[in-house]
Amino acid sequence: MRQTKLQERPAPRKALASKCFLFPFLIMLLWAIRPSEPKVALTEVQEEHIRSLTVGMGLKPLCLVAPFFGQTSNNILTIGKLLKLVHEEGKNRTVGLDTEWTKWYQLHFDPRSDVILSYLPSGDCEKTYDGKSAFLSPGWDVTHLVDFLPKAKYIREAESILQSWPHGKYFISVHRRDLDGTCTFFAKCAKMKKKKCMYQRDPKLKCSAEMRLQACKYEHDTIPNPLGLPIVLFTDGQVPEKDNTFPLRFNSSTSLLVEMWLMVNSRVHWGNPRSTLDITVASWRHGLGMEPKACYDDPQKIVFVA
């Protein structure tokens, strides 16, 4: 009420002119003393990379911004693809992440010298991708994830689980992924020319439709097992009647990356050709010298990880 009365009281003409004269200076003063936005602290390694980008060779990073395209395994493949691109020419390039990608990265991976966290929105980029454009860009290579491994704590947790199992690493892992009911339809796409199938066609014909359909129909007794190893199921739970044919099923509230590392360490892994989780597992297995036997290719095409 007191302020209202002051505003309603007529001011002398001279005083009003004086206030109008001082008002712009008051605004400038308030702007000058405003609280600064918090800055994200960079590690010494990251600062050195920024210096090399701006002062040394003048190479700017490839940048990745939200939104994401898919979930965990899609994001792994997305960053892995950009890491491959920045190292293709043997130059000291890096990948710069925005705030959202930084939060995701820190949950799943340890710091790397070629990944600059919280680089955006202030950093200068050679090229900027969002999740979809990076994931669908060309440049896939079967080895591009071999040195892009999960956080060490997830690997240690998986190793601890393996040590607790009576059979250890001597088991067959099966990943059942129904893909929200689309598994069978897209398994046939390599021989079709419908528009929906364009990103699923396999021009190299490394996987037959029969092999892809097999992944949609996995049951315990359909898994080749000449050595009689234990078969452990990992599943999305979308087809319980098929899941229930497996006596051994991994049930845990642990991180998905722990589950993936368990699959990496099995003697044989049977996955779904269209699942980016299995593509990721296959790439990590490849890096450990456990190359899949057939149908290992671009995630936009078909991958079979037997």
Side-chain angles (χ1 to χ4, degrees), residues 13-302:
R13 192 176 190 85
K14 183 177 180 181
L16 179 62
S18 176
K19 289 178 182 179
C20 292
F21 178 76
L22 293 174
F23 185 71
F25 293 97
L26 179 60
I27 294 298
M28 294 174 63
L29 178 61
L30 291 174
W31 177 260
I33 64 174
R34 76 192 190 284
S36 60
E37 296 181 358
K39 295 183 179 180
V40 178
L42 300 176
T43 66
E44 292 183 3
V45 173
Q46 291 169 338
E47 289 177 346
E48 177 59 33
H49 267 274
I50 291 177
R51 283 194 291 272
S52 71
L53 291 168
T54 56
V55 180
M57 295 182 291
L59 300 175
K60 301 173 184 177
L62 297 182
C63 294
L64 188 58
V65 300
F68 302 133
F69 182 61
Q71 301 182 38
T72 301
S73 49
N74 277 34
N75 293 344
I76 295 172
L77 291 170
T78 297
I79 296 180
K81 179 178 286 188
L82 292 187
L83 286 172
K84 175 185 178 293
L85 290 176
V86 299
H87 294 303
E88 260 185 346
E89 301 172 3
K91 296 179 180 179
N92 190 27
R93 295 184 185 274
T94 57
V95 173
L97 304 181
D98 74 354
T99 303
E100 291 304 307
W101 275 97
T102 294
K103 291 176 183 177
W104 180 90
Y105 180 96
Q106 290 177 318
L107 285 175
H108 298 90
F109 294 92
D110 291 320
R112 294 171 57 104
S113 61
D114 50 5
V115 176
I116 304 177
L117 305 179
S118 300
Y119 182 74
L120 297 173
S122 59
D124 192 13
C125 308
E126 176 185 329
K127 186 173 182 179
T128 300
Y129 298 85
D130 62 12
K132 183 176 182 179
S133 62
F135 181 82
L136 297 179
S137 65
W140 170 266
D141 184 276
V142 297
T143 64
H144 87 280
L145 292 181
V146 296
D147 64 346
F148 185 43
L149 303 180
K151 269 182 176 287
K153 73 172 186 178
Y154 296 137
I155 294 177
R156 289 194 298 268
E157 185 177 343
E159 294 290 341
S160 177
I161 292 172
L162 289 169
Q163 290 175 11
S164 72
W165 287 355
H167 47 74
K169 296 182 179 181
Y170 290 90
F171 69 100
I172 295 173
S173 56
V174 175
H175 179 226
R176 276 200 44 79
R177 184 80 171 91
D178 192 59
L179 301 161
D180 301 311
T182 67
C183 185
T184 299
F185 174 81
F186 283 106
K188 300 176 181 178
C189 272
K191 296 182 178 180
M192 300 169 69
K193 295 183 179 180
K194 293 182 179 180
K195 188 174 182 180
K196 286 185 178 180
C197 293
M198 294 308 292
Y199 285 117
Q200 301 299 332
R201 296 181 66 190
D202 180 13
K204 297 182 181 180
L205 296 176
K206 289 189 176 182
C207 293
S208 66
E210 290 74 21
M211 293 176 74
R212 293 191 300 277
L213 281 168
Q214 181 184 2
C216 303
K217 300 175 181 179
Y218 285 151
E219 294 183 12
H220 183 272
D221 293 341
T222 67
I223 304 301
N225 189 9
L227 298 179
L229 297 175
I231 299 175
V232 179
L233 174 68
F234 300 81
T235 178
D236 60 13
Q238 294 179 359
V239 188
E241 59 270 23
K242 294 189 181 298
D243 293 347
N244 291 337
T245 66
F246 291 84
L248 298 178
R249 186 189 309 186
F250 183 76
N251 292 312
S252 174
S253 58
T254 186
S255 166
L256 177 62
L257 271 73
V258 173
E259 290 193 39
M260 293 170 73
W261 201 251
L262 292 173
M263 299 181 214
V264 167
N265 281 275
S266 65
R267 295 299 78 180
V268 178
H269 179 66
W270 293 87
N272 188 311
R274 286 194 61 244
S275 168
T276 52
L277 184 151
D278 289 308
I279 294 166
T280 304
V281 167
S283 186
W284 286 338
R285 289 175 66 89
H286 180 88
L288 295 174
M290 304 164 71
E291 185 174 356
K293 298 174 183 177
C295 302
Y296 187 73
D297 211 326
D298 191 314
Q300 294 182 44
K301 301 169 190 171
I302 299 296

